[in-house]
Amino acid sequence: MSRPLEGIKIIDFTHVQAGPACTQLLAWYGADVIKVERPGSGDVTRNQLRHVKDADALYFTMLNSNKRSLTLDTKTQDGKDVLTKLIKESDVLVENFGPGALDRMGFSWERIQELNPGMIMASVKGFSDGHHYEDLKVYENVAQCAGGAASTTGFWDGPPTVSGAALGDSNTGMHLAIGILTALMQKGKTGKGQKVAVSMQDAVLNLCRVKLRDQQRLDALGYLEEYPQYPHHSFSDVVPRGGNAGGGGQPGWVMKCHGWEHDPNAYIYFTIQGHAWEPICRAIGREEWINDPAYMTAAARQDKLFDIITEIEGWLSDKTKFEAVDILRKYDIPCAPVLTMKEIAEDESLRKSGTIVEVPHPKLGKYLTVGSPIKFSDMKVDIKPSPLLGEHTDEVLSELGYSAEKIKELHAAKAV
């Protein structure tokens, strides 16, 4: 079965995480992604956090599956000639270089348009063009801080906290993939290419829009009643850190289960939702709260929220997180166990759905990676190994019209 993006050729000039996450997603769905790498070294993540000698690190393999690797020295004229041919035959160029890098290489946007008017050039940036911080180098945690995530994460008596989720990197890559697909749709109507860019700050902020909502409500009211600080503590003029409160206005908390004293992840997240209040009372054996005016409404419960949490934790004290969820799900109460990476890696449901995939690798053996988070009714996403450095160089050059003899010359000249 053909895949939706078959026939789309993408030049992948990205490295580390944000760009590779974007291009990997497109490769999964059928695009021919040619990862252009420096001869002899390649993407820096091939060596970062390596755990098997002389094998690519998991950091690389988990972000570059289904791609082809072309080594190319664009500082040489031969390398520039190869890239020129590749640009003419491709649909998209994705890059996350520093400002001006492509220009210095001799491939400005104007030059790329001359070579291929239909080219879509997609870029990952730290900050948007024209931003007063546009010259700053940005990594994952920098983006989380600049995008508003860190200031609103953690507990009110502690420092700002970054998330373990790659809000700055992979999240930006997902946004850029949407931008590329949108530009391809428009190109189908107009025949013209265009530039597409996503800044890491913007991508993080897009996931923090509920906090921007709360800032405006705080400005108007002076308090936020769904935050755990209300009504017993005062608010400043900025959105506070809310601990484990629900960001959407539904009270909830991470609660201790049996074994929490020795297992730091023996917890569940329990949502004390308004429409679920009666089932919650029945589940934990406190039916008298159902019709008690002091507990009947969300407003009445707000000042007693932590007393309610303590009561629920008492009910949880003799139940593992899995036993608790199995009981609560029968009452249709929103909850989930706090799962460790080890538990996720061993989860049979995630294996069956293709969310966790075991992939063969010529040097690593088998390794686990995250498969497509998007599921299709009429397409199976086949996750293939990441390419070895330069594995497809000769193949790509041959497709560009280079003879076997010329390919040997390019290798001898160390242009590829």
Side-chain angles (χ1 to χ4, degrees):
M1 183 184 298
S2 64
R3 291 174 295 166
L5 299 185
E6 280 187 11
I8 301 296
K9 182 174 287 187
I10 298 175
I11 303 170
D12 183 1
F13 256 127
T14 70
H15 53 282
V16 190
Q17 185 174 170
C22 166
T23 52
Q24 177 175 254
L25 194 74
L26 301 175
W28 285 346
Y29 305 148
D32 178 13
V33 176
I34 299 173
K35 187 174 180 73
V36 181
E37 300 185 79
R38 185 179 302 169
S41 56
D43 190 320
V44 66
T45 58
R46 285 186 182 271
N47 301 311
Q48 283 187 346
L49 307 176
R50 176 185 279 165
H51 73 286
V52 175
K53 186 179 180 181
D54 298 327
D56 289 329
L58 288 171
Y59 198 178
F60 177 85
T61 63
M62 295 176 72
L63 286 160
N64 291 281
S65 58
N66 293 54
K67 303 178 185 180
R68 298 197 286 170
S69 173
L70 163 69
T71 51
L72 191 64
D73 185 354
T74 56
K75 293 181 180 179
T76 68
Q77 188 56 51
D78 284 334
K80 293 181 191 298
D81 291 343
V82 172
L83 182 55
T84 297
K85 287 191 175 188
L86 193 55
I87 288 172
K88 288 180 178 179
E89 296 189 11
S90 298
D91 302 281
V92 184
L93 186 154
V94 190
E95 60 89 19
N96 60 349
F97 293 125
L102 277 174
D103 291 5
R104 293 190 295 273
M105 202 184 292
F107 293 92
S108 65
W109 171 234
E110 292 72 23
R111 175 57 177 156
I112 290 172
Q113 283 184 303
E114 288 176 7
L115 296 170
N116 185 347
M119 176 65 78
I120 293 162
M121 189 171 84
S123 303
V124 173
K125 298 177 176 294
F127 295 88
S128 294
D129 287 343
H131 193 284
H132 55 278
Y133 286 155
E134 68 178 343
D135 61 330
L136 280 177
K137 184 173 283 188
V138 177
Y139 295 112
E140 171 64 50
N141 292 347
V142 175
Q144 290 197 32
C145 290
S151 70
T152 55
T153 303
F155 284 82
W156 45 91
D157 57 353
T161 304
V162 296
S163 169
L167 306 181
D169 276 327
S170 285
N171 169 49
T172 302
M174 301 302 104
H175 278 80
L176 190 61
I178 294 169
I180 290 170
L181 294 174
T182 302
L184 284 169
M185 290 288 289
Q186 185 168 346
K187 177 184 173 181
K189 298 175 181 178
T190 67
K192 295 180 181 179
Q194 61 178 305
K195 290 200 290 185
V196 179
V198 179
S199 84
M200 296 172 75
Q201 181 192 40
D202 292 356
V204 172
L205 179 56
N206 190 38
L207 298 190
C208 292
R209 66 177 60 220
V210 296
K211 299 301 181 181
L212 184 59
R213 171 205 66 191
D214 291 347
Q215 182 62 58
Q216 295 171 84
R217 294 172 54 241
L218 179 63
D219 290 343
L221 300 172
Y223 62 90
L224 297 167
E225 63 181 16
E226 78 279 11
Y227 278 65
Q229 289 87 338
Y230 180 85
H232 303 296
H233 303 280
S234 61
F235 287 79
S236 72
D237 62 349
V238 299
V239 174
R241 290 185 274 285
N244 289 313
Q250 300 295 344
W253 206 252
V254 172
M255 302 186 192
K256 302 171 185 174
C257 293
H258 177 69
W260 68 271
E261 298 92 343
H262 53 82
D263 180 355
N265 294 293
Y267 290 79
I268 66 169
Y269 192 87
F270 192 115
T271 305
I272 308 173
Q273 216 165 7
H275 73 266
W277 178 243
E278 183 173 334
I280 289 170
C281 294
R282 296 192 186 284
I284 67 172
R286 294 304 300 263
E287 288 88 346
E288 68 274 17
W289 281 351
I290 295 173
N291 296 310
D292 186 337
Y295 290 89
M296 284 176 63
T297 67
R301 293 191 292 271
Q302 184 62 42
D303 66 339
K304 296 178 281 293
L305 185 60
F306 283 96
D307 293 333
I308 294 169
I309 289 171
T310 299
E311 187 74 23
I312 295 172
E313 285 190 330
W315 177 81
L316 292 167
S317 63
D318 63 350
K319 302 169 184 67
T320 69
K321 59 187 179 184
F322 299 110
E323 291 170 343
V325 169
D326 281 343
I327 294 170
L328 296 171
R329 67 199 291 195
K330 297 173 183 175
Y331 291 87
D332 200 26
I333 297 169
C335 63
V338 173
L339 295 177
T340 66
M341 282 297 129
K342 185 174 180 61
E343 288 165 338
I344 286 172
E346 296 173 351
D347 190 309
E348 288 302 319
S349 294
L350 294 177
R351 299 281 187 113
K352 186 177 180 181
S353 69
T355 300
I356 294 292
V357 184
E358 191 172 72
V359 181
H361 189 276
K363 292 190 175 182
L364 279 176
K366 292 181 178 179
Y367 67 93
L368 292 183
T369 192
V370 179
S372 174
I374 305 167
K375 311 302 188 219
F376 301 87
S377 65
D378 201 30
M379 180 180 71
K380 182 180 184 299
V381 180
D382 184 20
I383 309 299
K384 298 177 181 178
S386 60
L388 300 176
L389 180 61
E391 180 179 348
H392 304 95
T393 297
D394 292 0
E395 180 179 283
V396 173
L397 292 174
S398 179
E399 292 170 0
L400 291 174
Y402 286 91
S403 66
E405 183 177 342
K406 182 61 178 177
I407 292 173
K408 287 182 181 179
E409 289 179 13
L410 292 173
H411 280 291
K414 297 184 179 179
V416 297

